[in-house]
Structures are given as structure tokens and as C-alpha cells.
Amino acid sequence: MAHRVALRAQHPRSIWLMVLPMLLTVLLVAVWAEGQDYYELLGVSREATTKEIRRAFKQLALTMHPDKNPGDPSAHEKFLQVNRAYEVLKDEDLRKKYDKYGEKGLDEQQDGRYESWNYYRYDFGIYDDDLEIITLDSGDFEAAVNSGEIWFINFYFPRCSHCHQLAPTWRDFAKEMDGVIRIGAVNCGDNNHLCRRKGINSYPSLYIYRSGQVPEKFNGERNRDNLVRFSMQFITTTITQLWQGELQPWLNTLDSKEIYNQVINHLPDLELLTSDSFQSKLAHHRWLISFTFGNKNSASNEYKKLQAFLRNDHIQVGRVDCIADSELCQSLYIHKPCMAVFKGLGIHDFEIHHGKDVLYNIVGFARDSVRAFVTTLGPDNFPSDRKEPWLVDFFAPWCPPCRALLPELRKASIQLAGQMKFGTLDCTIHHNLCSRTLNSTVVKELDSCNCCFMKTTHSHLSLKSNTVVCFSAAGRDEGQIWAVDFYAPWCGPCQALMPEWRRMARLLSGQILVGSVDCQRFQSFCQSQSVRAYPEIRLYPGNSRQPDRYTSYNGWHRDAHSLRTWALSFLPRASVDLTPETFRSLVLSGRDHWVLDFYAPWCGPCQHFAPEFEVLARMLKGEVRAGKVDCQAHYQTCQLAGITAYPTVRLYPYLGKKRSGEHINSRDANVIADTVRQRLQQLLPRLHNKPKVSAG
């Protein structure tokens, strides 16, 4: 017998009663997410470090994850918002956008994915709870490794099983070396761009970093004794023999950590400066001053090491007790503990440190500050009626984008020394002087000229007034290639683009000039350039016959790396394509040094590396020839050369006979260029008649 199924239409009221709870759940989650900002969602302050943000997120992930709340229909949406908050705040550039523009400055798209509960429990933030291991990110990596201390850094990936196997050994090693060298870790899952810049292509990768020197990679068996032996070879010590006499023994332990603490305790305190000696001491010498309020903080003993780190920089280190000398501190508008650099030109020419209160960050700040020309401003020295141009940064120390701007301000002050003065004004202290928006960089036009502009070392020009005239066809230098962003301040996509545009400018430094034009302020100029939409990104190739010719950017992605790749594609090729025949005749049998990029057209990393290789080719022009081999088209050539991965970079130095290539484990043009030059220097004795690179 056949069975019939009857379908009966449900009453609309019944359907509504079923759908209503689901709609309410979605609406409640949306309201909950909309009503809280990302910092509140994670329960951290706006000044939180990346490590603090990561810790807070992990705690929330372990309790809010849908795997742990199977009965809560809103768990997925709630955790999606928390995950989104973490993804934004952990990323330096996204965090800057969010702090400045809120969610409207971020990409609207969210992929709706997150990891399993087990991932957050066992794989997430391997070293976050280890006091002896300092987790570094892209924001503080360079300051750390250039501080003068020796760093041994573990580059790891959260899902890498070898990284987890190494973790217990790395922790034991860190405890063993605590106080001797700095032990660090970089999560390459969260800091992909940093790891890629450093040439990290396998995990874990362990490197020793010393300021001003090429990093040294550890390649031995990963046990504690080998790690200790490897790191100790970079420690230089001087042993002085003392005669027994009136010396009193004060070491009463053999524990390395206790010995370190006792040695630090016996180091002399920082010189105490008082109101009587302050002005005379600072009149002719550069000083780093620690301003304290009563009891010493936990960092006081660590500060004792500053004198040794800064001795070669001729920076003296001292301290001021603001309880005992309250009038002195009040006259400088110092109301809480801080570090400040005085530049040897009197007590009003100083700059306050607003970075992390860790030794490597303070050392880096002191070295940068004494070379720069940035002054901390107050009512007494604010340039309200001066006759020279000033660039003043009105900022708040709690604002991350404000703090991120300060190093760029120092660089700009060096480049424009003698043309413009630079100052910072803390709007949390000097409310009455801060009439502009926080983190706005304002040029005070105080002389007869009607325009001044800021130019930083990353070659980004804010094109204004007379600069626009120079940018016009009549004023542009022949051969200068310009990438220009035409924008309007009220335009949301323009605001979102600006941080990426500045970052791209840094990446293109020395290659292409980068600028931006405010079309609200210079409306007639933008109209003359036929700008009809914002942002309008153009590249002017510097053709003398067609000075107004340009190419507009129509790409989908507006991140710094995509824009950089597009801009570099307009530079003339500095490398040559090689065939099997030219590879044999020019590289293997020729009389030139060669550096080669073996690639495949379908390979994503190869496409990303291509513009970097062109930068390398221009850097080495006249010293080493640069060539590219397409391993898809010339598979046998690459196979015979032993190429097993793409891209592969190899150096083929000319030694007067047939040669094989030497692998270079980096994708950074600067690192590769340094490696090539060092290798050729080592081979110099064998190069009897050093060849001249042939033209072409």
C-alpha cells in the first residue's frame, strides 16, 4: 500500500512564536556587542600591552567558548565578538585604526571562524605565563634587539608540535640564563609580517640578536646544555684579579639568580640630583633622569644598569626625588614617576618617555631622543608667539596611536633639522593649551611663509599649498616617481586607508616618493587633476614627455603590502629573466657574480617576494647581477640546480671556475644584500682578478 504524506500549512501565529525567540537572541547579542567597545569586551584598559590583551582573551576563551556552553544559543555570536575584539587589538595597525576611527575604520568582513576550545587551552600563548621569557611583538621587537642587551629569541608557531616539544626545555633554559641574557619569544601566528621580514620560514627558529650585528641562528640539538653553550659564546666578560686584603666577602650563595640579585644590589644607586644642583648639572651634559615619588619601585635596581648601557652614548643617568623636591618637579609639570632625557641645553629642553617601562625600551628611547630635536612643551615654552615654524603634536599618553607617532616625530625632526622645530604637548596635563583633536599633528605657521609641511623618514609628504605647486607638472623633477593619495577628511574609506598609506610609504622609502593631497582644502587643485572620487590613488611615473600621465590603482586590497607591490611594478626592471642556455653561459660559466631567484608563477610567496627581489637587484647594481629563473617553464634547470622549494635565493660568486650556488635563507632585501656583501668579502682572497659586472 502506498503511503501518502499530507503537508498542512502552519498558522502564521505559530511560525511567529517559533521565530520570535531566535530573533530576540540575535538582537540581544547585537545590542550587547554594539554597546561595548573592544577594550571593554576584553576587560582591559586602553593602555594594555599585547601580552595583557592576549592573557585577557585567553581567560574569556576558556569560559565563553561555545564548546563549553552548548546550551547557550547566543554563545557563538558572543564569542565571535570577543574573538573579533582580540583579532583587532592584537594587531598593531588594526588597533591604531580602531583607536582613531572605531569600528567604522575597520574592514566590515568577518569570516565567522575561531579555534576550538582545546586550541585556546593548550596551544594559545605558549610563554605568556613565564616570567623569565619576554614575549615580543612587532611593536617592540626592534627596540628590544637594538637596546644593547643580548637576546636569544624563539620564533614559534602555535600549532607546531616541535615548538611545544621545545617549550619545557626553553623554560628551563630561560631560568638558567635569567640575568645573564634576555630570553624572548615571538608568536609567528600573531606576528606573521614580523617573522616574514626576519626570514623565518621554519619553526621553531632560534636566533641570538646583538645590537648592530647580524643575528646568529642556533642549529644544534635543542637541549638545555647546548643552548647554554651556544649563548655563552656571545658573552664577553673581563675578569680582574683582586688581592686579598681588606675586601669583605659578600656573596653567600652559589645560586646564579641570587648572585645576580646581590650584584645588582651592590651596584651604586643613580646619582641624586636636587634643586640646588639640577640646573648646573644639566646645563652642559646629556642626562637620562628618573623622577620618583617616595618609595623606590621594583624597577629601581634594574635602572642601575642604565649607566653601563648608555656610557658609550655619553648620556649620564640620575634621579630626582619629587617628594623632597616637589617645587622642581612641579615647575617641569611632572606629576607622576617617569623617565626623561635632558639634552644638555638647559632644564627646559627635555623629552619625556611614554613607552614601556622596561630597560630595553628606555635605552632605545634615550639614544633616539638625544639625536632628535623634539621638546616636551608646557606653558613656559609653548611657541605661541615665536617667529619660526613649529610642528606641535597635541597628544594623550593613554592613546596608542599617539604613542606610535612619537618615534616618527623624532625621525622627522632629524630630517628637517634647522628648517622647523618639533614639540609635543600632553593634553592630559595642559588642557587649556590643547584646542585641537588628540593625536592631530598641527603645523603652526608663524612666519611670512604661507605653508609648511611635515616630512618623515618614511618619505610620506602631506602635500599642501606650495608643495602642491611643486607637485604640479612644471615643478616635478624629471624621473621622480610619485604615489599620491587624493582624499577628503570626512571620507570614511580615506580615514581607513591612511594608516596603511603611511606604512606603505615606510616600505617604499628610498624607492618611490609618497604623498597625499587634502582635496577639501585644495579643491581647485584636485579639480584640475580630474579627481572625482575619494580616495583616489594614483602613480605618476615621472615621464618628462607626458608629465601629467598617471595610472590609477584599481586593486581590491588597500593594505600596505598590496599597494607597495603595485607601486614597485612601475619601477624599471633591474633583474633579468634567465633561460637554461643563459643560466649555463652567464651564471655557471660567466665572469660575473650572480644572485638568483628561483620561483614558480603559481606560488603565492614567490609573487610576494618578487618586488622585494627587484629592490635587492637595485641595491646590488654594479656589484652583483640579479636574475630570475621560472621553474615551471624550466623545470629541468631547477631540478639540476637542486631547487626543492619556491622561492629559493642563491648566490653564485665568480671564482674563476664553474660553480654551484650558495643558499641564502632570507626574503628581506636588506638582509640578503648584507649576506651577499659579507660572503664576497670572505671570498676576496680567492678572487685574484675581481671581475667587473658587465652592463645589462
Side-chain angles (χ1 to χ4, degrees), residues 89-103:
L89 297 186
K90 77 172 184 181
D91 184 281
E92 183 181 11
D93 294 316
L94 289 179
R95 186 177 180 182
K96 287 178 188 175
K97 288 182 183 178
Y98 177 75
D99 286 333
K100 193 166 186 178
Y101 308 115
E103 287 191 72

Side-chain angles (χ1 to χ4, degrees), residues 300-319:
S300 297
N301 274 347
E302 286 291 299
Y303 287 171
K304 293 178 180 179
K305 292 158 46 175
L306 288 168
Q307 299 175 90
F309 286 128
L310 297 173
R311 183 176 293 118
N312 292 336
D313 300 282
H314 306 291
I315 301 173
Q316 301 184 54
V317 186
R319 63 188 176 93

Side-chain angles (χ1 to χ4, degrees), residues 552-558 566:
S552 293
Y553 178 71
N554 296 312
W556 181 256
H557 300 290
R558 289 178 180 168
W566 170 74

Side-chain angles (χ1 to χ4, degrees), residues 399-625:
C399 160
C402 304
R403 295 197 302 268
L405 176 63
L406 295 176
E408 298 300 328
L409 209 62
R410 293 185 202 109
K411 295 174 186 176
S413 75
I414 295 171
Q415 189 165 349
L416 292 174
Q419 303 174 48
M420 176 180 291
K421 294 193 174 183
F422 288 74
T424 60
L425 188 68
D426 184 344
C427 291
T428 63
I429 297 174
H430 305 292
H431 312 278
N432 57 330
L433 284 177
C434 293
S435 57
R436 296 183 183 269
T437 309
L438 290 180
N439 197 33
S440 61
T441 304
V442 182
V443 177
K444 297 188 69 66
E445 301 175 19
L446 301 170
D447 58 3
S448 57
C449 80
N450 60 6
C451 169
C452 299
F453 61 90
M454 175 183 176
K455 179 179 179 182
T456 67
T457 51
H458 55 245
S459 300
H460 176 266
L461 300 184
S462 179
L463 301 177
K464 301 178 180 179
S465 197
N466 65 336
T467 316
V468 171
V469 175
C470 294
F471 176 72
S472 67
R476 251 184 0 257
D477 291 343
E478 182 179 345
Q480 279 189 345
I481 299 177
W482 278 87
V484 181
D485 167 30
F486 295 89
Y487 73 98
W490 47 260
C491 158
C494 302
Q495 295 170 352
L497 170 65
M498 193 56 71
E500 294 297 327
W501 191 251
R502 291 194 182 105
R503 185 178 176 194
M504 180 204 71
R506 288 195 295 271
L507 295 172
L508 288 174
S509 180
Q511 307 290 329
I512 291 174
L513 294 168
V514 180
S516 56
V517 177
D518 181 347
C519 288
Q520 179 172 297
R521 184 175 178 187
F522 304 107
Q523 188 175 4
S524 59
F525 176 75
C526 292
Q527 287 176 349
S528 72
Q529 296 294 310
S530 301
V531 176
R532 295 183 176 87
Y534 309 124
E536 170 75 4
I537 300 171
R538 295 179 179 180
L539 190 130
Y540 292 81
N543 188 324
S544 59
R545 294 183 179 179
Q546 297 175 294
D548 289 324
R549 187 171 65 86
Y550 64 85
T551 301
S552 293
Y553 178 71
N554 296 312
W556 181 256
H557 300 290
R558 289 178 180 168
D559 62 281
H561 285 285
S562 299
L563 291 167
R564 174 180 181 263
T565 301
W566 170 74
L568 286 174
S569 67
F570 289 88
L571 291 173
R573 278 279 302 272
S575 66
V576 297
D577 292 319
L578 296 172
T579 64
E581 294 74 24
T582 53
F583 176 73
R584 286 192 294 270
S585 61
L586 297 178
V587 178
L588 298 182
S589 304
R591 297 176 60 84
D592 295 323
H593 305 309
W594 282 85
V595 61
L596 300 188
D597 170 23
F598 294 88
Y599 73 99
W602 47 261
C603 157
C606 301
Q607 295 166 9
H608 181 84
F609 177 61
E612 194 73 18
F613 188 74
E614 290 303 314
V615 172
L616 171 71
R618 283 186 286 276
M619 291 173 68
L620 293 176
K621 192 171 183 179
E623 303 174 66
V624 179
R625 297 190 69 184

